[in-house]
Amino acid sequence: MRKKLEMQVRMPAAVCAVRGTKFLVYEDAKKGTEVVVLEGSVEVKSKKENRTAVVNEGYRAAVSKDGKLSEPEKIDISELDRWWEK
């Protein structure tokens, strides 16, 4: 039996479970964590609210510094500065 491997990105306010995807995570000491999904989906969990949201391709979600998880919001990913591709 194969063991299921799961990658998680742990930030001060949130935990992101990677689901075979491309995504960006921004951490701001004053604002909190923002997750932008370029491909696939990411499960974002607020550590304080114990609430989870699945963020799909073309959406973003944020967890404020005080732990409030926003609903996923549609964004235009074609307008992102793709600094990592330069």
Side-chain angles (χ1 to χ4, degrees):
M1 182 154 109
R2 291 184 82 167
K3 183 178 178 182
K4 181 181 174 186
L5 299 177
E6 181 178 289
M7 180 183 164
Q8 293 184 339
V9 178
R10 294 181 177 273
M11 309 298 283
V15 177
C16 302
V18 180
R19 302 285 185 251
T21 188
K22 292 182 182 178
F23 66 103
L24 305 171
V25 178
Y26 302 98
E27 179 65 30
D28 183 285
K30 294 179 183 175
K31 294 180 181 179
T33 304
E34 178 182 13
V35 178
V36 176
V37 180
L38 305 173
E39 289 181 14
S41 64
V42 174
E43 183 179 277
V44 179
K45 179 180 180 180
S46 167
K47 289 181 176 179
K48 291 184 181 175
E49 287 185 323
N50 198 26
R51 209 167 67 94
T52 319
V54 175
V55 185
N56 294 310
E57 181 176 325
Y59 283 78
R60 66 172 285 284
V63 180
S64 65
K65 186 177 176 185
D66 63 353
K68 292 188 178 13
L69 173 62
S70 71
E71 291 297 320
E73 170 187 2
K74 179 82 172 141
I75 61 168
D76 185 352
I77 59 175
S78 70
E79 293 182 7
L80 291 175
D81 177 21
R82 294 176 176 261
W83 53 266
W84 63 94
E85 293 178 349
K86 294 178 183 176

